[in-house]
Amino acid sequence: MGVTISRSILDGMKKASAVAWPREACGLLFGESGAINAFREVRNVAERPETHFELDPAALFAALRAQREGGPRVIGYWHSHPSGSAAPSITDATMAAPDGKLWVILGGDEVRCWRAGIAGLHDRFAPVQLMAI
């Protein structure tokens, strides 16, 4: 099953990735099953942001708190690989919980979507078709 995303959301993530270069940009994805309706850029607090990402915990907790109070549903995460591919790295696999969340990764000119689970690439990610609308 694929996931839809608007071209304006894709453009926003690409712009944020370009501004953050050579560091990894990262953030949250919001929506419902089968559709990414919004994204939010979040500060990357990793020790080595050129090769890793870590979402600012305060921003993540605030988004989850807002969701519990009826706000937008957090359906996943996005980040960039400034000098890599749009496939999850081994580091991504060690960070990912098998929770079914979406991971959108931007690498070079490519944008790909993955679902975190217990099988697939690095025994953690299954590819998901990303359909721009």
Side-chain angles (χ1 to χ4, degrees):
M1 177 168 91
V3 174
T4 61
I5 187 169
S6 75
R7 293 188 194 287
S8 64
I9 292 172
L10 284 173
D11 289 345
M13 289 189 295
K14 288 176 182 178
K15 181 179 179 185
S17 297
V19 169
W21 188 90
R23 299 172 318 279
E24 291 192 12
C26 61
L28 301 169
L29 301 171
F30 301 93
E32 299 300 326
S33 178
I36 297 169
N37 299 327
F39 85 103
R40 181 177 306 148
E41 186 176 2
V42 172
R43 189 168 62 98
N44 182 351
V45 297
E47 276 187 36
R48 294 186 321 259
E50 296 79 18
T51 57
H52 295 78
F53 85 96
E54 181 180 342
L55 296 169
D56 180 347
L60 176 58
F61 294 143
L64 293 173
R65 186 171 35 256
Q67 174 182 299
R68 282 193 307 273
E69 295 170 357
R73 183 172 162 236
V74 177
I75 61 169
Y77 318 100
W78 69 273
H79 74 283
S80 62
H81 287 169
S83 59
S85 76
S89 67
I90 295 289
T91 302
D92 293 338
T94 61
M95 292 174 47
D99 58 7
K101 296 278 193 210
L102 296 175
W103 284 55
V104 171
I105 302 175
L106 297 87
D109 293 330
E110 189 177 24
V111 179
R112 295 182 65 191
C113 186
W114 306 84
R115 188 171 305 279
I118 56 171
L121 185 64
H122 306 307
D123 294 324
R124 187 60 52 149
F125 292 102
V128 175
Q129 182 181 13
L130 192 61
M131 299 170 289
I133 55 171

